[in-house]
Short mmCIF file of all heavy atoms in Angstrom, two decimals:
data_model
loop_
_atom_site.label_atom_id
_atom_site.label_comp_id
_atom_site.label_asym_id
_atom_site.label_seq_id
_atom_site.Cartn_x
_atom_site.Cartn_y
_atom_site.Cartn_z
N MET A 1178 0.84 -1.16 0.00
CA MET A 1178 0.00 0.00 0.00
C MET A 1178 0.89 1.23 0.00
O MET A 1178 1.70 1.41 0.88
CB MET A 1178 -0.89 -0.04 1.24
CG MET A 1178 -1.51 1.25 1.58
SD MET A 1178 -2.45 1.32 3.14
CE MET A 1178 -2.52 -0.28 3.77
N ASP A 1179 0.78 2.08 -1.01
CA ASP A 1179 1.49 3.35 -1.05
C ASP A 1179 0.58 4.43 -0.49
O ASP A 1179 -0.61 4.48 -0.80
CB ASP A 1179 1.89 3.72 -2.47
CG ASP A 1179 3.11 2.95 -2.95
OD1 ASP A 1179 3.71 2.24 -2.12
OD2 ASP A 1179 3.43 3.05 -4.12
N VAL A 1180 1.18 5.29 0.33
CA VAL A 1180 0.43 6.35 1.00
C VAL A 1180 1.16 7.67 0.81
O VAL A 1180 2.37 7.74 0.96
CB VAL A 1180 0.32 6.05 2.52
CG1 VAL A 1180 -0.40 7.16 3.25
CG2 VAL A 1180 -0.37 4.72 2.77
N VAL A 1181 0.40 8.72 0.49
CA VAL A 1181 0.92 10.08 0.48
C VAL A 1181 0.31 10.78 1.68
O VAL A 1181 -0.91 10.80 1.83
CB VAL A 1181 0.56 10.82 -0.81
CG1 VAL A 1181 0.94 12.30 -0.71
CG2 VAL A 1181 1.22 10.19 -2.01
N VAL A 1182 1.16 11.33 2.54
CA VAL A 1182 0.71 12.14 3.67
C VAL A 1182 1.17 13.56 3.37
O VAL A 1182 2.37 13.81 3.21
CB VAL A 1182 1.29 11.65 5.01
CG1 VAL A 1182 0.83 12.54 6.15
CG2 VAL A 1182 0.89 10.21 5.25
N SER A 1183 0.21 14.48 3.29
CA SER A 1183 0.55 15.84 2.88
C SER A 1183 -0.02 16.87 3.84
O SER A 1183 -1.15 16.76 4.28
CB SER A 1183 0.00 16.11 1.47
OG SER A 1183 0.20 17.45 1.12
N CYS A 1184 0.78 17.87 4.11
CA CYS A 1184 0.35 19.05 4.88
C CYS A 1184 0.79 20.30 4.11
O CYS A 1184 1.17 21.30 4.71
CB CYS A 1184 0.98 19.03 6.27
SG CYS A 1184 0.49 17.63 7.26
N GLN A 1185 0.77 20.22 2.80
CA GLN A 1185 1.27 21.29 1.95
C GLN A 1185 0.24 22.36 1.64
O GLN A 1185 0.58 23.40 1.12
CB GLN A 1185 1.79 20.71 0.63
CG GLN A 1185 2.92 19.74 0.79
CD GLN A 1185 4.16 20.40 1.36
OE1 GLN A 1185 4.54 21.49 0.96
NE2 GLN A 1185 4.79 19.75 2.33
N GLY A 1186 -1.03 22.09 1.91
CA GLY A 1186 -2.08 23.06 1.61
C GLY A 1186 -2.88 22.69 0.38
O GLY A 1186 -2.52 21.81 -0.39
N GLY A 1187 -3.99 23.37 0.23
CA GLY A 1187 -4.94 23.06 -0.83
C GLY A 1187 -4.41 23.26 -2.23
O GLY A 1187 -4.77 22.51 -3.15
N ASP A 1188 -3.59 24.28 -2.46
CA ASP A 1188 -3.04 24.49 -3.81
C ASP A 1188 -2.22 23.29 -4.26
O ASP A 1188 -2.34 22.84 -5.40
CB ASP A 1188 -2.19 25.76 -3.85
CG ASP A 1188 -3.01 27.03 -3.71
OD1 ASP A 1188 -4.24 26.98 -3.95
OD2 ASP A 1188 -2.43 28.07 -3.36
N TYR A 1189 -1.40 22.77 -3.36
CA TYR A 1189 -0.59 21.59 -3.67
C TYR A 1189 -1.50 20.39 -3.95
O TYR A 1189 -1.31 19.69 -4.95
CB TYR A 1189 0.35 21.28 -2.51
CG TYR A 1189 1.16 20.03 -2.71
CD1 TYR A 1189 2.33 20.04 -3.45
CD2 TYR A 1189 0.76 18.81 -2.15
CE1 TYR A 1189 3.09 18.89 -3.65
CE2 TYR A 1189 1.51 17.66 -2.34
CZ TYR A 1189 2.66 17.70 -3.08
OH TYR A 1189 3.39 16.56 -3.28
N THR A 1190 -2.47 20.17 -3.09
CA THR A 1190 -3.40 19.05 -3.26
C THR A 1190 -4.12 19.15 -4.60
O THR A 1190 -4.21 18.17 -5.34
CB THR A 1190 -4.41 19.00 -2.11
OG1 THR A 1190 -3.71 18.78 -0.90
CG2 THR A 1190 -5.45 17.90 -2.32
N ASN A 1191 -4.64 20.34 -4.91
CA ASN A 1191 -5.37 20.52 -6.17
C ASN A 1191 -4.50 20.34 -7.39
O ASN A 1191 -4.98 19.96 -8.45
CB ASN A 1191 -6.04 21.90 -6.20
CG ASN A 1191 -7.22 21.98 -5.27
OD1 ASN A 1191 -7.90 20.99 -5.02
ND2 ASN A 1191 -7.47 23.16 -4.74
N GLU A 1192 -3.20 20.58 -7.25
CA GLU A 1192 -2.29 20.40 -8.38
C GLU A 1192 -1.81 18.96 -8.51
O GLU A 1192 -1.80 18.39 -9.60
CB GLU A 1192 -1.07 21.31 -8.22
CG GLU A 1192 -0.08 21.18 -9.36
CD GLU A 1192 1.10 22.11 -9.24
OE1 GLU A 1192 1.00 23.12 -8.52
OE2 GLU A 1192 2.13 21.81 -9.86
N VAL A 1193 -1.43 18.33 -7.42
CA VAL A 1193 -0.77 17.03 -7.47
C VAL A 1193 -1.74 15.85 -7.46
O VAL A 1193 -1.58 14.89 -8.22
CB VAL A 1193 0.25 16.90 -6.31
CG1 VAL A 1193 0.84 15.51 -6.25
CG2 VAL A 1193 1.33 17.95 -6.46
N HIS A 1194 -2.76 15.89 -6.61
CA HIS A 1194 -3.67 14.75 -6.46
C HIS A 1194 -4.32 14.30 -7.77
O HIS A 1194 -4.26 13.11 -8.11
CB HIS A 1194 -4.73 15.05 -5.39
CG HIS A 1194 -5.67 13.93 -5.16
ND1 HIS A 1194 -6.88 13.84 -5.80
CD2 HIS A 1194 -5.57 12.82 -4.39
CE1 HIS A 1194 -7.50 12.75 -5.43
NE2 HIS A 1194 -6.73 12.10 -4.57
N PRO A 1195 -4.93 15.21 -8.54
CA PRO A 1195 -5.56 14.74 -9.79
C PRO A 1195 -4.54 14.18 -10.79
O PRO A 1195 -4.86 13.25 -11.52
CB PRO A 1195 -6.25 15.97 -10.36
CG PRO A 1195 -5.91 17.12 -9.50
CD PRO A 1195 -5.18 16.63 -8.30
N LYS A 1196 -3.34 14.73 -10.80
CA LYS A 1196 -2.31 14.21 -11.71
C LYS A 1196 -1.92 12.78 -11.34
O LYS A 1196 -1.74 11.94 -12.22
CB LYS A 1196 -1.08 15.11 -11.71
CG LYS A 1196 -1.33 16.47 -12.35
CD LYS A 1196 -0.11 17.34 -12.25
CE LYS A 1196 -0.38 18.72 -12.82
NZ LYS A 1196 0.77 19.63 -12.63
N LEU A 1197 -1.79 12.52 -10.06
CA LEU A 1197 -1.48 11.15 -9.62
C LEU A 1197 -2.59 10.19 -10.00
O LEU A 1197 -2.36 9.09 -10.52
CB LEU A 1197 -1.27 11.10 -8.11
CG LEU A 1197 0.06 11.60 -7.58
CD1 LEU A 1197 0.04 11.64 -6.05
CD2 LEU A 1197 1.19 10.73 -8.06
N ARG A 1198 -3.85 10.59 -9.74
CA ARG A 1198 -4.98 9.72 -10.06
C ARG A 1198 -5.09 9.48 -11.57
O ARG A 1198 -5.33 8.36 -12.02
CB ARG A 1198 -6.29 10.32 -9.52
CG ARG A 1198 -6.37 10.34 -8.01
CD ARG A 1198 -6.43 8.94 -7.46
NE ARG A 1198 -6.63 8.99 -6.01
CZ ARG A 1198 -6.15 8.11 -5.18
NH1 ARG A 1198 -5.44 7.10 -5.61
NH2 ARG A 1198 -6.38 8.21 -3.89
N GLN A 1199 -4.93 10.53 -12.36
CA GLN A 1199 -5.02 10.39 -13.81
C GLN A 1199 -3.91 9.50 -14.36
O GLN A 1199 -4.08 8.82 -15.37
CB GLN A 1199 -4.97 11.76 -14.48
CG GLN A 1199 -6.23 12.57 -14.27
CD GLN A 1199 -6.09 14.00 -14.75
OE1 GLN A 1199 -5.05 14.44 -15.20
NE2 GLN A 1199 -7.18 14.76 -14.61
N ALA A 1200 -2.76 9.51 -13.69
CA ALA A 1200 -1.64 8.69 -14.12
C ALA A 1200 -1.80 7.23 -13.68
O ALA A 1200 -0.96 6.39 -13.98
CB ALA A 1200 -0.33 9.25 -13.57
N GLY A 1201 -2.90 6.93 -12.97
CA GLY A 1201 -3.15 5.56 -12.54
C GLY A 1201 -2.34 5.16 -11.33
O GLY A 1201 -1.95 4.01 -11.19
N TRP A 1202 -2.09 6.11 -10.44
CA TRP A 1202 -1.28 5.88 -9.25
C TRP A 1202 -1.73 4.64 -8.51
O TRP A 1202 -2.87 4.50 -8.10
CB TRP A 1202 -1.36 7.10 -8.35
CG TRP A 1202 -0.77 6.97 -6.99
CD1 TRP A 1202 0.41 6.38 -6.67
CD2 TRP A 1202 -1.31 7.43 -5.77
NE1 TRP A 1202 0.64 6.46 -5.32
CE2 TRP A 1202 -0.42 7.11 -4.75
CE3 TRP A 1202 -2.48 8.11 -5.45
CZ2 TRP A 1202 -0.64 7.43 -3.42
CZ3 TRP A 1202 -2.70 8.44 -4.13
CH2 TRP A 1202 -1.79 8.10 -3.13
N LYS A 1203 -0.82 3.70 -8.35
CA LYS A 1203 -1.08 2.45 -7.64
C LYS A 1203 0.13 2.11 -6.78
O LYS A 1203 1.23 2.59 -7.01
CB LYS A 1203 -1.35 1.31 -8.62
CG LYS A 1203 -2.59 1.53 -9.47
CD LYS A 1203 -2.87 0.31 -10.30
CE LYS A 1203 -3.96 0.48 -11.29
NZ LYS A 1203 -5.25 0.81 -10.87
N ASP A 1204 -0.10 1.24 -5.81
CA ASP A 1204 1.03 0.79 -4.99
C ASP A 1204 1.67 -0.43 -5.65
O ASP A 1204 1.29 -0.83 -6.75
CB ASP A 1204 0.59 0.52 -3.55
CG ASP A 1204 -0.35 -0.67 -3.42
OD1 ASP A 1204 -0.48 -1.46 -4.37
OD2 ASP A 1204 -0.95 -0.81 -2.35
N LEU A 1205 2.63 -1.01 -5.00
CA LEU A 1205 3.37 -2.14 -5.58
C LEU A 1205 2.53 -3.38 -5.81
O LEU A 1205 2.87 -4.24 -6.61
CB LEU A 1205 4.57 -2.48 -4.70
CG LEU A 1205 5.63 -1.37 -4.59
CD1 LEU A 1205 6.71 -1.78 -3.60
CD2 LEU A 1205 6.23 -1.07 -5.94
N THR A 1206 1.39 -3.49 -5.10
CA THR A 1206 0.53 -4.66 -5.28
C THR A 1206 -0.54 -4.43 -6.34
O THR A 1206 -1.34 -5.31 -6.62
CB THR A 1206 -0.18 -5.02 -3.95
OG1 THR A 1206 -1.10 -3.98 -3.61
CG2 THR A 1206 0.82 -5.23 -2.83
N GLY A 1207 -0.59 -3.21 -6.90
CA GLY A 1207 -1.59 -2.89 -7.91
C GLY A 1207 -2.83 -2.24 -7.35
O GLY A 1207 -3.75 -1.89 -8.08
N SER A 1208 -2.87 -2.04 -6.03
CA SER A 1208 -4.01 -1.35 -5.41
C SER A 1208 -3.82 0.16 -5.55
O SER A 1208 -2.70 0.65 -5.65
CB SER A 1208 -4.10 -1.70 -3.92
OG SER A 1208 -4.35 -3.07 -3.76
N VAL A 1209 -4.92 0.86 -5.54
CA VAL A 1209 -4.87 2.32 -5.61
C VAL A 1209 -4.24 2.85 -4.32
O VAL A 1209 -4.55 2.38 -3.24
CB VAL A 1209 -6.28 2.91 -5.80
CG1 VAL A 1209 -6.25 4.42 -5.77
CG2 VAL A 1209 -6.88 2.42 -7.11
N GLY A 1210 -3.36 3.84 -4.44
CA GLY A 1210 -2.70 4.40 -3.27
C GLY A 1210 -3.65 5.24 -2.42
O GLY A 1210 -4.70 5.68 -2.87
N TYR A 1211 -3.25 5.46 -1.19
CA TYR A 1211 -4.04 6.27 -0.25
C TYR A 1211 -3.46 7.68 -0.17
O TYR A 1211 -2.25 7.87 -0.11
CB TYR A 1211 -4.00 5.65 1.16
CG TYR A 1211 -4.85 4.41 1.28
CD1 TYR A 1211 -4.33 3.16 0.98
CD2 TYR A 1211 -6.18 4.50 1.69
CE1 TYR A 1211 -5.10 2.03 1.09
CE2 TYR A 1211 -6.96 3.37 1.80
CZ TYR A 1211 -6.41 2.14 1.49
OH TYR A 1211 -7.18 1.02 1.59
N TRP A 1212 -4.33 8.67 -0.13
CA TRP A 1212 -3.96 10.09 -0.01
C TRP A 1212 -4.50 10.58 1.32
O TRP A 1212 -5.71 10.62 1.54
CB TRP A 1212 -4.57 10.88 -1.16
CG TRP A 1212 -4.23 12.33 -1.15
CD1 TRP A 1212 -4.88 13.32 -0.47
CD2 TRP A 1212 -3.18 12.96 -1.86
NE1 TRP A 1212 -4.28 14.53 -0.71
CE2 TRP A 1212 -3.21 14.33 -1.57
CE3 TRP A 1212 -2.17 12.50 -2.71
CZ2 TRP A 1212 -2.32 15.25 -2.10
CZ3 TRP A 1212 -1.30 13.42 -3.25
CH2 TRP A 1212 -1.37 14.76 -2.94
N ILE A 1213 -3.61 10.96 2.24
CA ILE A 1213 -3.99 11.47 3.56
C ILE A 1213 -3.51 12.91 3.62
O ILE A 1213 -2.32 13.18 3.43
CB ILE A 1213 -3.38 10.62 4.69
CG1 ILE A 1213 -3.85 9.18 4.56
CG2 ILE A 1213 -3.74 11.22 6.05
CD1 ILE A 1213 -3.17 8.21 5.49
N ASP A 1214 -4.42 13.83 3.88
CA ASP A 1214 -4.10 15.24 3.71
C ASP A 1214 -4.75 16.09 4.79
O ASP A 1214 -5.88 15.85 5.19
CB ASP A 1214 -4.62 15.66 2.34
CG ASP A 1214 -4.05 16.95 1.82
OD1 ASP A 1214 -3.45 17.71 2.62
OD2 ASP A 1214 -4.19 17.21 0.63
N ALA A 1215 -4.03 17.11 5.24
CA ALA A 1215 -4.58 18.04 6.22
C ALA A 1215 -5.26 19.23 5.54
O ALA A 1215 -5.93 20.01 6.21
CB ALA A 1215 -3.47 18.54 7.14
N ALA A 1216 -5.12 19.37 4.24
CA ALA A 1216 -5.74 20.48 3.51
C ALA A 1216 -7.24 20.23 3.34
O ALA A 1216 -7.71 19.11 3.38
CB ALA A 1216 -5.08 20.65 2.14
N SER A 1217 -7.97 21.30 3.10
CA SER A 1217 -9.43 21.18 2.94
C SER A 1217 -9.84 20.88 1.50
O SER A 1217 -11.03 20.70 1.23
CB SER A 1217 -10.11 22.46 3.40
OG SER A 1217 -9.70 23.55 2.58
N ALA A 1218 -8.91 20.81 0.58
CA ALA A 1218 -9.23 20.71 -0.85
C ALA A 1218 -10.12 19.53 -1.21
O ALA A 1218 -10.98 19.65 -2.08
CB ALA A 1218 -7.94 20.65 -1.66
N LEU A 1219 -9.95 18.39 -0.57
CA LEU A 1219 -10.73 17.19 -0.92
C LEU A 1219 -11.87 16.92 0.05
O LEU A 1219 -12.61 15.96 -0.12
CB LEU A 1219 -9.81 15.97 -0.96
CG LEU A 1219 -8.64 16.04 -1.93
CD1 LEU A 1219 -7.75 14.82 -1.77
CD2 LEU A 1219 -9.13 16.18 -3.36
N ARG A 1220 -12.03 17.77 1.04
CA ARG A 1220 -12.95 17.51 2.15
C ARG A 1220 -14.38 17.19 1.72
O ARG A 1220 -15.02 16.31 2.28
CB ARG A 1220 -12.96 18.71 3.09
CG ARG A 1220 -13.76 18.48 4.35
CD ARG A 1220 -13.62 19.62 5.32
NE ARG A 1220 -12.21 19.75 5.69
CZ ARG A 1220 -11.69 20.87 6.18
NH1 ARG A 1220 -12.42 21.93 6.33
NH2 ARG A 1220 -10.40 20.91 6.48
N MET A 1221 -14.91 17.86 0.72
CA MET A 1221 -16.31 17.67 0.34
C MET A 1221 -16.48 16.72 -0.85
O MET A 1221 -17.58 16.55 -1.35
CB MET A 1221 -16.95 19.03 0.02
CG MET A 1221 -16.96 19.97 1.21
SD MET A 1221 -17.72 19.29 2.71
CE MET A 1221 -19.42 19.19 2.22
N LYS A 1222 -15.43 16.07 -1.28
CA LYS A 1222 -15.54 15.11 -2.38
C LYS A 1222 -16.35 13.90 -1.93
O LYS A 1222 -16.25 13.46 -0.79
CB LYS A 1222 -14.16 14.65 -2.85
CG LYS A 1222 -13.27 15.76 -3.36
CD LYS A 1222 -13.72 16.17 -4.73
CE LYS A 1222 -12.73 17.18 -5.30
NZ LYS A 1222 -13.09 17.62 -6.61
N ASP A 1223 -17.17 13.38 -2.82
CA ASP A 1223 -18.01 12.22 -2.49
C ASP A 1223 -17.20 10.98 -2.13
O ASP A 1223 -17.65 10.14 -1.37
CB ASP A 1223 -18.95 11.88 -3.66
CG ASP A 1223 -20.06 12.91 -3.83
OD1 ASP A 1223 -20.36 13.64 -2.86
OD2 ASP A 1223 -20.61 12.97 -4.93
N ASP A 1224 -16.00 10.87 -2.70
CA ASP A 1224 -15.20 9.67 -2.45
C ASP A 1224 -14.10 9.90 -1.42
O ASP A 1224 -13.10 9.21 -1.40
CB ASP A 1224 -14.62 9.12 -3.75
CG ASP A 1224 -13.72 10.14 -4.45
OD1 ASP A 1224 -13.70 11.31 -4.05
OD2 ASP A 1224 -13.04 9.74 -5.41
N ALA A 1225 -14.29 10.89 -0.54
CA ALA A 1225 -13.33 11.16 0.54
C ALA A 1225 -13.98 10.86 1.89
O ALA A 1225 -15.18 11.01 2.05
CB ALA A 1225 -12.87 12.62 0.50
N ILE A 1226 -13.17 10.42 2.82
CA ILE A 1226 -13.63 10.15 4.18
C ILE A 1226 -12.86 11.03 5.14
O ILE A 1226 -11.64 11.10 5.07
CB ILE A 1226 -13.40 8.67 4.57
CG1 ILE A 1226 -14.24 7.75 3.69
CG2 ILE A 1226 -13.72 8.44 6.05
CD1 ILE A 1226 -13.95 6.28 3.94
N ILE A 1227 -13.58 11.71 6.03
CA ILE A 1227 -12.93 12.47 7.08
C ILE A 1227 -12.59 11.48 8.20
O ILE A 1227 -13.46 10.80 8.72
CB ILE A 1227 -13.84 13.59 7.59
CG1 ILE A 1227 -14.10 14.60 6.46
CG2 ILE A 1227 -13.21 14.28 8.81
CD1 ILE A 1227 -15.07 15.70 6.82
N VAL A 1228 -11.32 11.40 8.54
CA VAL A 1228 -10.85 10.43 9.52
C VAL A 1228 -10.82 11.05 10.90
O VAL A 1228 -10.04 11.98 11.16
CB VAL A 1228 -9.45 9.90 9.15
CG1 VAL A 1228 -8.93 8.97 10.22
CG2 VAL A 1228 -9.51 9.19 7.81
N LEU A 1229 -11.68 10.56 11.77
CA LEU A 1229 -11.77 11.01 13.15
C LEU A 1229 -11.75 9.79 14.07
O LEU A 1229 -12.52 9.71 15.02
CB LEU A 1229 -13.06 11.81 13.37
CG LEU A 1229 -13.22 13.07 12.53
CD1 LEU A 1229 -14.63 13.60 12.64
CD2 LEU A 1229 -12.20 14.11 12.94
N ASP A 1230 -10.89 8.85 13.78
CA ASP A 1230 -10.83 7.62 14.56
C ASP A 1230 -10.54 7.96 16.03
O ASP A 1230 -9.65 8.74 16.31
CB ASP A 1230 -9.72 6.74 13.98
CG ASP A 1230 -9.68 5.35 14.58
OD1 ASP A 1230 -10.74 4.87 15.00
OD2 ASP A 1230 -8.60 4.77 14.64
N PRO A 1231 -11.25 7.42 16.98
CA PRO A 1231 -12.23 6.35 16.87
C PRO A 1231 -13.67 6.82 16.69
O PRO A 1231 -14.58 6.01 16.69
CB PRO A 1231 -12.10 5.62 18.20
CG PRO A 1231 -11.80 6.71 19.17
CD PRO A 1231 -10.93 7.68 18.40
N VAL A 1232 -13.89 8.12 16.50
CA VAL A 1232 -15.25 8.65 16.40
C VAL A 1232 -16.03 8.04 15.25
O VAL A 1232 -17.21 7.70 15.41
CB VAL A 1232 -15.22 10.20 16.28
CG1 VAL A 1232 -16.61 10.75 16.05
CG2 VAL A 1232 -14.59 10.81 17.52
N ASN A 1233 -15.44 7.91 14.09
CA ASN A 1233 -16.16 7.37 12.94
C ASN A 1233 -15.49 6.11 12.37
O ASN A 1233 -15.41 5.91 11.18
CB ASN A 1233 -16.32 8.43 11.85
CG ASN A 1233 -15.01 8.83 11.21
OD1 ASN A 1233 -13.95 8.66 11.79
ND2 ASN A 1233 -15.08 9.34 9.99
N ARG A 1234 -15.07 5.24 13.26
CA ARG A 1234 -14.37 4.02 12.86
C ARG A 1234 -15.18 3.18 11.87
O ARG A 1234 -14.64 2.62 10.91
CB ARG A 1234 -14.01 3.19 14.10
CG ARG A 1234 -13.19 1.96 13.80
CD ARG A 1234 -11.85 2.41 13.31
NE ARG A 1234 -11.26 1.39 12.48
CZ ARG A 1234 -9.99 1.38 12.14
NH1 ARG A 1234 -9.20 2.32 12.55
NH2 ARG A 1234 -9.54 0.44 11.38
N ALA A 1235 -16.49 3.09 12.08
CA ALA A 1235 -17.33 2.29 11.18
C ALA A 1235 -17.29 2.86 9.76
O ALA A 1235 -17.22 2.11 8.78
CB ALA A 1235 -18.76 2.22 11.70
N MET A 1236 -17.32 4.19 9.62
CA MET A 1236 -17.27 4.81 8.30
C MET A 1236 -15.91 4.57 7.65
O MET A 1236 -15.82 4.32 6.44
CB MET A 1236 -17.54 6.31 8.38
CG MET A 1236 -17.45 7.01 7.04
SD MET A 1236 -17.77 8.75 7.16
CE MET A 1236 -19.50 8.73 6.72
N ILE A 1237 -14.85 4.63 8.43
CA ILE A 1237 -13.51 4.37 7.90
C ILE A 1237 -13.44 2.95 7.36
O ILE A 1237 -12.97 2.71 6.24
CB ILE A 1237 -12.45 4.60 8.99
CG1 ILE A 1237 -12.42 6.08 9.41
CG2 ILE A 1237 -11.07 4.16 8.50
CD1 ILE A 1237 -11.65 6.33 10.70
N ASP A 1238 -13.90 1.98 8.15
CA ASP A 1238 -13.87 0.59 7.72
C ASP A 1238 -14.71 0.37 6.46
O ASP A 1238 -14.30 -0.33 5.54
CB ASP A 1238 -14.34 -0.33 8.85
CG ASP A 1238 -13.35 -0.36 10.01
OD1 ASP A 1238 -12.17 -0.02 9.82
OD2 ASP A 1238 -13.78 -0.72 11.12
N LYS A 1239 -15.91 0.98 6.42
CA LYS A 1239 -16.77 0.82 5.25
C LYS A 1239 -16.10 1.42 4.01
O LYS A 1239 -16.13 0.83 2.94
CB LYS A 1239 -18.12 1.49 5.49
CG LYS A 1239 -19.06 1.35 4.32
CD LYS A 1239 -20.40 1.98 4.58
CE LYS A 1239 -21.28 1.81 3.36
NZ LYS A 1239 -22.52 2.54 3.48
N GLY A 1240 -15.48 2.59 4.17
CA GLY A 1240 -14.78 3.21 3.04
C GLY A 1240 -13.67 2.33 2.51
O GLY A 1240 -13.46 2.21 1.30
N LYS A 1241 -12.95 1.69 3.41
CA LYS A 1241 -11.88 0.78 2.98
C LYS A 1241 -12.46 -0.41 2.21
O LYS A 1241 -11.89 -0.84 1.22
CB LYS A 1241 -11.09 0.31 4.19
CG LYS A 1241 -10.18 1.39 4.76
CD LYS A 1241 -9.56 1.02 6.08
CE LYS A 1241 -8.84 -0.29 6.07
NZ LYS A 1241 -8.25 -0.64 7.36
N GLU A 1242 -13.61 -0.91 2.67
CA GLU A 1242 -14.24 -2.05 2.00
C GLU A 1242 -14.68 -1.72 0.59
O GLU A 1242 -14.58 -2.56 -0.30
CB GLU A 1242 -15.46 -2.52 2.80
CG GLU A 1242 -15.13 -3.22 4.09
CD GLU A 1242 -16.38 -3.52 4.90
OE1 GLU A 1242 -17.50 -3.47 4.35
OE2 GLU A 1242 -16.23 -3.80 6.10
N VAL A 1243 -15.17 -0.49 0.37
CA VAL A 1243 -15.68 -0.12 -0.95
C VAL A 1243 -14.63 0.54 -1.83
O VAL A 1243 -14.91 0.94 -2.94
CB VAL A 1243 -16.94 0.78 -0.86
CG1 VAL A 1243 -18.05 0.08 -0.12
CG2 VAL A 1243 -16.61 2.12 -0.23
N GLY A 1244 -13.41 0.65 -1.30
CA GLY A 1244 -12.32 1.15 -2.13
C GLY A 1244 -12.08 2.64 -2.10
O GLY A 1244 -11.49 3.19 -3.01
N CYS A 1245 -12.55 3.32 -1.07
CA CYS A 1245 -12.28 4.75 -0.94
C CYS A 1245 -10.83 4.94 -0.52
O CYS A 1245 -10.41 4.40 0.49
CB CYS A 1245 -13.22 5.37 0.09
SG CYS A 1245 -12.98 7.14 0.25
N HIS A 1246 -10.07 5.71 -1.29
CA HIS A 1246 -8.64 5.87 -1.02
C HIS A 1246 -8.24 7.31 -0.78
O HIS A 1246 -7.08 7.66 -0.96
CB HIS A 1246 -7.82 5.29 -2.17
CG HIS A 1246 -7.97 3.81 -2.27
ND1 HIS A 1246 -7.22 2.95 -1.52
CD2 HIS A 1246 -8.80 3.04 -3.00
CE1 HIS A 1246 -7.57 1.71 -1.79
NE2 HIS A 1246 -8.53 1.73 -2.69
N GLN A 1247 -9.18 8.15 -0.40
CA GLN A 1247 -8.86 9.52 -0.05
C GLN A 1247 -9.36 9.74 1.36
O GLN A 1247 -10.51 9.47 1.66
CB GLN A 1247 -9.56 10.52 -0.98
CG GLN A 1247 -9.12 10.39 -2.39
CD GLN A 1247 -9.83 11.34 -3.32
OE1 GLN A 1247 -9.29 11.62 -4.35
NE2 GLN A 1247 -10.99 11.85 -3.02
N THR A 1248 -8.50 10.20 2.21
CA THR A 1248 -8.90 10.45 3.59
C THR A 1248 -8.48 11.84 4.01
O THR A 1248 -7.60 12.45 3.43
CB THR A 1248 -8.27 9.43 4.56
OG1 THR A 1248 -6.84 9.55 4.50
CG2 THR A 1248 -8.69 8.02 4.24
N LYS A 1249 -9.14 12.34 5.01
CA LYS A 1249 -8.88 13.65 5.54
C LYS A 1249 -8.50 13.50 7.00
O LYS A 1249 -9.27 12.99 7.78
CB LYS A 1249 -10.13 14.51 5.39
CG LYS A 1249 -10.00 15.89 5.91
CD LYS A 1249 -8.88 16.55 5.25
CE LYS A 1249 -9.30 17.71 4.45
NZ LYS A 1249 -8.17 18.24 3.75
N ALA A 1250 -7.31 13.89 7.39
CA ALA A 1250 -6.85 13.75 8.77
C ALA A 1250 -6.95 15.09 9.49
O ALA A 1250 -6.67 16.13 8.91
CB ALA A 1250 -5.41 13.27 8.78
N TYR A 1251 -7.34 15.04 10.75
CA TYR A 1251 -7.39 16.25 11.59
C TYR A 1251 -6.66 16.02 12.87
O TYR A 1251 -6.64 14.99 13.40
CB TYR A 1251 -8.84 16.63 11.91
CG TYR A 1251 -9.60 17.05 10.70
CD1 TYR A 1251 -10.42 16.18 10.04
CD2 TYR A 1251 -9.48 18.34 10.22
CE1 TYR A 1251 -11.10 16.57 8.91
CE2 TYR A 1251 -10.17 18.73 9.08
CZ TYR A 1251 -10.98 17.85 8.44
OH TYR A 1251 -11.66 18.23 7.32
#
């Protein structure tokens, strides 16, 4: 599993994240990589999960099951 952890801000996220996804960013096993970011840029995307473990652990687990690979850390 490849993971990007970023605290660079929304401009960086808006520039880099879509380019990685469009390029087919995957980890060494062929799974889609995870993007963990402190910026607000992806916060309202339908395929993003706000990570507040343990507050929303069930949502985190469900997102992992359905293949959601964008998370928001606070």
Side-chain angles (χ1 to χ4, degrees):
M1178 163 186 354
D1179 282 352
V1180 177
V1181 172
V1182 178
S1183 174
C1184 298
Q1185 299 296 316
D1188 290 341
Y1189 177 83
T1190 298
N1191 287 330
E1192 180 178 339
V1193 174
H1194 181 265
K1196 290 177 183 175
L1197 283 173
R1198 293 294 185 212
Q1199 289 171 358
W1202 171 43
K1203 297 186 188 299
D1204 67 14
L1205 296 175
T1206 67
S1208 297
V1209 176
Y1211 286 88
W1212 181 274
I1213 301 172
D1214 197 344
S1217 63
L1219 302 175
R1220 186 173 300 158
M1221 298 306 291
K1222 299 284 186 180
D1223 289 339
D1224 60 350
I1226 295 175
I1227 296 175
V1228 176
L1229 300 168
D1230 188 30
V1232 174
N1233 68 337
R1234 184 66 205 194
M1236 178 180 264
I1237 296 166
D1238 292 339
K1239 181 178 179 187
K1241 287 171 53 181
E1242 288 174 16
V1243 300
C1245 182
H1246 293 276
Q1247 297 178 157
T1248 61
K1249 179 57 117 184
Y1251 293 98

